[in-house]
Amino acid sequence: MKGLSLRSTFVILLIWTMAAMSMATQAYLSGRFSGEEISWLSLFCRQLPGWYLFALLSPFVLYIYQFYPLHTAEWRTNFLWQLLIAFVILCFFSNLRLWAMSYAIGQNAFTLSFAAYLNAYAAQLLWDTVVYSLIVLSVFALQTALSSKKSSLQAAEAEMKNVRLENMLKQARLETLKLQLSPHFLFNTLNTISSMVRMNDPQAAIKVNSKLGVFLRNTLYADDEPFVSLEKELEQADFYTEIESIRFGDRLHICKEIEEASLAAQVPRFILQPLLENAIKHGVAKSSTAGYILIRAQVKEKILYLMIYNDGRNLPEGGPAGGIGLKNLQSRLFYIYGTRYTFKISNATAKGVQVEIEIPL
């Protein structure tokens, strides 16, 4: 049990001091009305020992409540434990209180007969049970209020997090749309379609146009859920890579090594799009020979490992140059996972560049 702070100790002493003052005042006024001459201070000093016993008991009641709280789902079982512990404590505690309160009213418990002592003890036990119950109820009310406040704060924080996440998702969608509608991307795609028409290959042109439409529609009209299964994310990425494969022809080869268990993993929406765009733009597009891109996914010990590799030019010595899409992705990963994720861009052992991401499931 953590030691009570000075403030908590002061509050406990103040509560039971006020209880002693209240009882002393009641006895003083009762005596005055009956014509007795008695000092209020003397009554107060006699009341203090009995009520300070509750001051000593209060920390133990708080300690017991930590193990058997009544504001949780297990309150029924904990209530039975509270009753049992209270019975054991009060059987001994009420004896001490009986002696202290006998002193408060100017009597000596030694002079009582056995029957009188039992009657006095029963009355004291009943009174102490009421006070003990009030202590437990006070702790219960305080803990319930604190739990309610904590739940409200957590709900507010979760709502704020969801709002921020939705905003970041919308930003990611806009960045993806910006990529899709950029003059370079749109010009190359339309030029590919025009070339197919001129080469009397309308079916291929229709295919590219259809994939472009589906690709844009999936981005524009995707729901606001921040997470999607890796399988769905790969399907969306396929529309983009298929368009680029038609444009680059034999110069672009894409290979996938996707572990079956990883397909159901929930990942942030649009996590693959900026990685593939970066690999094609800086790897395949800048090479005069055939380019190779590898997409790998696997799960180990509740960690999803993603890797996008391209066999293009190595990174310059200054390190990786992150565009808007990659920076947005890293910001989203940090906001969602905090420090529990890994994002690394590095040169491959032999040739090329690889991006590695590790996120918890």
Side-chain angles (χ1 to χ4, degrees):
M1 178 180 67
K2 291 183 178 180
L4 287 175
S5 65
L6 183 61
R7 179 180 178 182
S8 299
T9 303
F10 175 77
V11 170
I12 290 174
L13 288 175
L14 178 62
I15 290 174
W16 297 115
T17 300
M18 291 178 66
M21 291 174 64
S22 175
M23 296 301 294
T25 302
Q26 182 180 349
Y28 174 76
L29 293 177
S30 178
R32 290 294 300 269
F33 288 144
S34 62
E36 296 181 16
E37 291 293 335
I38 190 169
S39 168
W40 179 89
L41 182 60
S42 175
L43 289 172
F44 173 66
C45 291
R46 286 176 174 271
Q47 289 284 343
L48 275 180
W51 292 104
Y52 273 1
L53 284 174
F54 271 117
L56 294 174
L57 181 65
S58 296
F60 291 97
V61 177
L62 295 174
Y63 178 68
I64 294 168
Y65 193 91
Q66 291 178 8
F67 289 94
Y68 306 107
L70 301 178
H71 63 282
T72 62
E74 300 80 17
W75 69 270
R76 292 178 179 85
T77 303
N78 292 343
F79 179 72
L80 295 177
W81 278 107
Q82 287 278 4
L83 285 179
L84 177 61
I85 294 171
F87 175 76
V88 174
I89 290 177
L90 289 174
C91 284
F92 171 75
F93 180 76
S94 291
N95 269 299
L96 297 178
R97 279 270 297 165
L98 177 58
W99 286 85
M101 299 314 291
S102 297
Y103 168 76
I105 60 176
Q107 293 184 357
N108 189 343
F110 276 115
T111 62
L112 298 175
S113 65
F114 182 73
Y117 187 89
L118 284 181
N119 288 333
Y121 174 73
Q124 189 65 54
L125 181 62
L126 179 61
W127 173 253
D128 291 345
T129 300
V130 173
V131 178
Y132 186 97
S133 300
L134 289 175
I135 298 174
V136 175
L137 287 174
S138 299
V139 178
F140 167 75
L142 178 61
Q143 291 298 326
T144 301
L146 291 175
S147 297
S148 177
K149 183 178 181 180
K150 183 178 180 180
S151 298
S152 299
L153 289 174
Q154 289 177 342
E157 290 176 358
E159 184 177 356
M160 290 179 62
K161 183 175 181 179
N162 288 335
V163 170
R164 289 188 60 185
L165 196 56
E166 289 176 4
N167 290 336
M168 296 179 76
L169 175 61
K170 291 176 181 178
Q171 182 181 354
R173 185 177 298 154
L174 290 174
E175 294 298 339
T176 303
L177 183 60
K178 179 180 177 182
L179 161 69
Q180 296 160 1
L181 296 180
S182 66
H184 182 266
F185 175 82
L186 194 57
F187 173 79
N188 287 331
T189 304
L190 293 177
N191 186 55
T192 300
I193 295 173
S194 298
S195 299
M196 291 175 177
V197 172
R198 286 195 299 269
M199 295 172 63
N200 294 321
D201 193 357
Q203 293 301 321
I206 293 173
K207 181 180 179 181
V208 174
N209 186 65
S210 175
K211 290 185 179 296
L212 177 62
V214 173
F215 182 57
L216 296 176
R217 185 167 59 251
N218 287 348
T219 300
L220 284 170
Y221 299 107
D223 56 46
D224 290 331
E225 288 297 323
F227 295 95
V228 67
S229 69
L230 179 62
E231 184 177 13
K232 294 292 184 182
E233 185 69 9
L234 286 167
E235 290 176 2
Q236 170 66 4
D238 284 343
F239 289 110
Y240 174 76
T241 55
E242 286 174 7
I243 293 173
E244 294 290 51
S245 293
I246 295 174
R247 182 163 73 89
F248 285 99
D250 294 337
R251 290 178 55 204
L252 177 59
H253 299 281
I254 298 177
C255 180
K256 296 179 183 177
E257 295 179 2
I258 310 298
E259 188 182 73
E260 185 73 20
S262 67
L263 292 175
Q266 295 293 303
V267 298
R269 192 182 290 273
F270 303 123
I271 191 175
L272 294 179
Q273 173 65 34
L275 301 178
L276 291 170
E277 187 272 339
N278 190 73
I280 293 174
K281 181 179 179 181
H282 297 286
V284 179
K286 293 185 177 182
S287 175
S288 57
T289 59
Y292 171 77
I293 292 178
L294 171 64
I295 305 174
R296 178 179 294 160
Q298 57 183 335
V299 175
K300 291 182 180 179
E301 298 180 352
K302 296 184 178 181
I303 300 292
L304 175 65
Y305 296 84
L306 292 174
M307 192 271 286
I308 308 293
Y309 165 79
N310 74 84
D311 63 351
R313 299 177 183 175
N314 287 353
L315 293 170
E317 293 186 3
I324 295 176
L326 292 185
K327 290 180 179 179
N328 175 275
L329 175 58
Q330 292 183 71
S331 297
R332 284 196 294 142
L333 290 175
F334 178 78
Y335 182 73
I336 296 170
Y337 302 107
T339 58
R340 297 180 297 127
Y341 81 98
T342 299
F343 185 96
K344 181 181 179 182
I345 305 177
S346 61
N347 289 320
T349 304
K351 177 188 177 184
V353 177
Q354 60 187 24
V355 179
E356 298 170 278
I357 296 179
E358 299 177 10
I359 56 177
L361 299 179

